[in-house]
Amino acid sequence: MSPKNRIKPNGFKYLIATLVILIVVYSFKLNSDYKKLEDAFSEQKIELQAELDEIIEDYKNINVKNKDLSQRLVKEINKIIVLRDSIKNLEKSNYNLIVKYSRKIVKLERENRRLFIQVDSLNKQNYELLQENIVVKNELEEKNASQKTLSKKNRSLLKERKVLKAKVGIAEVIKVNSISATAMKERSSGKLTTTSRSRRTDAFKIKFNLEANPVTTPGKKEILIQILDENGEIIASKGDKKVKSGETIVYSDNLFANYDNNQLGVVSLILVNRDDISKGVYRINTYVDGHFTGRTEVKLR
């Protein structure tokens, strides 16, 4: 080897020293970069987990009454919890998975926005429906209150009407005055004359006046006359009829009068069998249009 190509011992030492220094520097740099990368990895893991925890909390705070949407929320929460736990257990060497999970989180956030918009829309609809229900409920309550008030007024009016009807009914009754009853006997000539003897009585003559009444309806009025002996037995029964009191009476005569709201005289002649007439007091009752209107008596000896 020529002297020119030979490396000087001192120069070789410097070369070795320089290489060692370079290797140390490079190793230190590699170690420093690795440490930074490792710290960044740990920091990114923590951030991703924190972000997923926030998303989970957001889901849990959603109050949804819709059954299908609520089930979907539960499904999404479980999916996010699995992803968070996967990141938590991620090894330091799996740097590429951090990027993958970051993309997943971005996708989740997009889905969250869509889902939350849907939830907000449903909540808004529910709120509007609730407000409508409140309005309808208030309207129903007002109507019910109004109905109760009207029912109360109606009951009051019906009661007043009933009282008024009763008063009008009383006012419509045609009263009878100047009622009198006379026993009559028939002479051989066929003429009837008065008598006070029971064994000669062939008829009873009843006279009375229908008083004027401008309230009652004019027209044909039915009149019933009842003759009773001291035992309450009907004399000369002609039939029976139900009157306004609800009682069914047996009458001795019935006739009709054309009433024009003015005073009207009425005469009834009721023929009897002498054999049925005995001594005593006979009571005569009158009914006009089904109402009891008067009473008189005649005594026979």
Side-chain angles (χ1 to χ4, degrees):
M1 182 178 294
S2 64
K4 291 183 178 180
N5 294 330
R6 189 176 297 167
I7 299 174
K8 295 179 180 181
N10 290 336
F12 183 76
K13 289 181 180 179
Y14 289 132
L15 177 62
I16 293 299
T18 300
L19 286 174
V20 169
I21 291 168
L22 287 173
I23 290 169
V24 170
V25 170
Y26 182 70
S27 297
F28 178 78
K29 189 173 185 307
L30 281 177
N31 186 59
S32 177
D33 289 344
Y34 180 79
K35 184 68 170 61
K36 287 180 181 179
L37 186 62
E38 190 176 61
D39 291 343
F41 177 83
S42 298
E43 186 177 340
Q44 187 67 24
K45 272 182 65 175
I46 293 169
E47 288 179 0
L48 291 177
Q49 286 177 241
E51 193 168 351
L52 289 173
D53 285 334
E54 287 182 8
I55 294 173
I56 292 168
E57 192 64 28
D58 288 341
Y59 271 94
K60 287 181 178 179
N61 290 332
I62 296 176
N63 184 16
V64 180
K65 292 184 179 179
N66 183 283
K67 186 178 178 182
D68 293 336
L69 195 56
S70 178
Q71 290 176 348
R72 183 180 168 189
L73 286 172
V74 172
K75 186 177 178 181
E76 290 296 324
I77 290 172
N78 291 334
K79 187 164 68 175
I80 295 167
I81 290 172
V82 170
L83 180 59
R84 182 196 62 188
D85 293 343
S86 298
I87 292 172
K88 184 178 180 180
N89 298 324
L90 195 63
E91 296 295 331
K92 292 181 180 180
S93 59
N94 294 329
Y95 300 109
N96 59 325
L97 288 179
I98 286 291
V99 177
K100 179 181 176 182
Y101 287 141
S102 296
R103 290 173 181 170
K104 278 192 174 183
I105 291 174
V106 170
K107 184 180 177 183
L108 273 174
E109 287 178 342
R110 284 199 300 267
E111 291 176 355
N112 286 349
R113 281 195 294 273
R114 287 196 296 268
L115 188 58
F116 291 162
I117 288 170
Q118 186 178 358
V119 170
D120 287 341
S121 176
L122 284 174
N123 286 341
K124 185 179 178 181
Q125 291 176 17
N126 287 338
Y127 177 77
E128 289 173 353
L129 286 173
L130 180 62
Q131 294 302 114
E132 288 179 10
N133 287 338
I134 292 171
V135 171
V136 171
K137 184 179 178 182
N138 290 337
E139 288 177 353
L140 284 174
E141 287 177 353
E142 287 177 5
K143 285 181 180 179
N144 288 335
S146 178
Q147 184 68 29
K148 286 179 181 178
T149 302
L150 288 173
S151 297
K152 188 176 180 180
K153 286 182 179 178
N154 191 40
R155 285 194 298 270
S156 178
L157 287 172
L158 287 173
K159 189 176 179 180
E160 289 176 9
R161 185 179 177 185
K162 189 175 180 181
V163 171
L164 183 60
K165 188 177 179 181
K167 288 180 179 179
V168 170
I170 293 170
E172 286 181 338
V173 175
I174 301 171
K175 295 181 180 179
V176 169
N177 64 28
S178 304
I179 183 168
S180 65
T182 307
M184 308 292 290
K185 66 178 179 178
E186 185 179 4
R187 291 182 178 275
S188 57
S189 62
K191 185 179 179 181
L192 291 171
T193 59
T194 60
T195 183
S196 61
R197 299 177 69 87
S198 60
R199 61 188 181 85
R200 292 191 178 184
T201 299
D202 297 306
F204 285 92
K205 184 179 181 180
I206 296 97
K207 293 173 60 178
F208 53 88
N209 292 325
L210 300 181
E211 291 185 359
N213 188 334
V215 177
T216 193
T217 305
K220 189 179 287 187
K221 306 296 179 183
E222 185 178 28
I223 299 169
L224 302 177
I225 299 172
Q226 196 181 47
I227 303 174
L228 300 95
D229 62 16
E230 288 187 335
N231 298 319
E233 297 294 330
I234 298 294
I235 303 300
S237 171
K238 296 286 180 61
D240 60 71
K241 191 152 191 164
K242 191 173 183 179
V243 293
K244 297 291 185 181
S245 65
E247 177 188 9
T248 299
I249 67 162
V250 179
Y251 54 84
S252 304
D253 192 16
N254 75 316
L255 59 153
F256 292 88
N258 288 318
Y259 183 72
D260 61 358
N261 300 100
N262 296 310
Q263 183 173 292
L264 179 66
V266 177
V267 178
S268 172
L269 185 66
I270 302 172
L271 300 177
V272 297
N273 189 339
R274 285 185 178 185
D275 296 335
D276 295 333
I277 306 302
S278 56
K279 294 179 181 180
V281 176
Y282 288 80
R283 187 170 73 251
I284 292 89
N285 297 324
T286 60
Y287 294 82
V288 179
D289 244 7
H291 295 281
F292 174 77
T293 53
R295 175 180 295 154
T296 190
E297 292 179 349
V298 60
K299 186 175 182 179
L300 299 177
R301 54 186 177 82

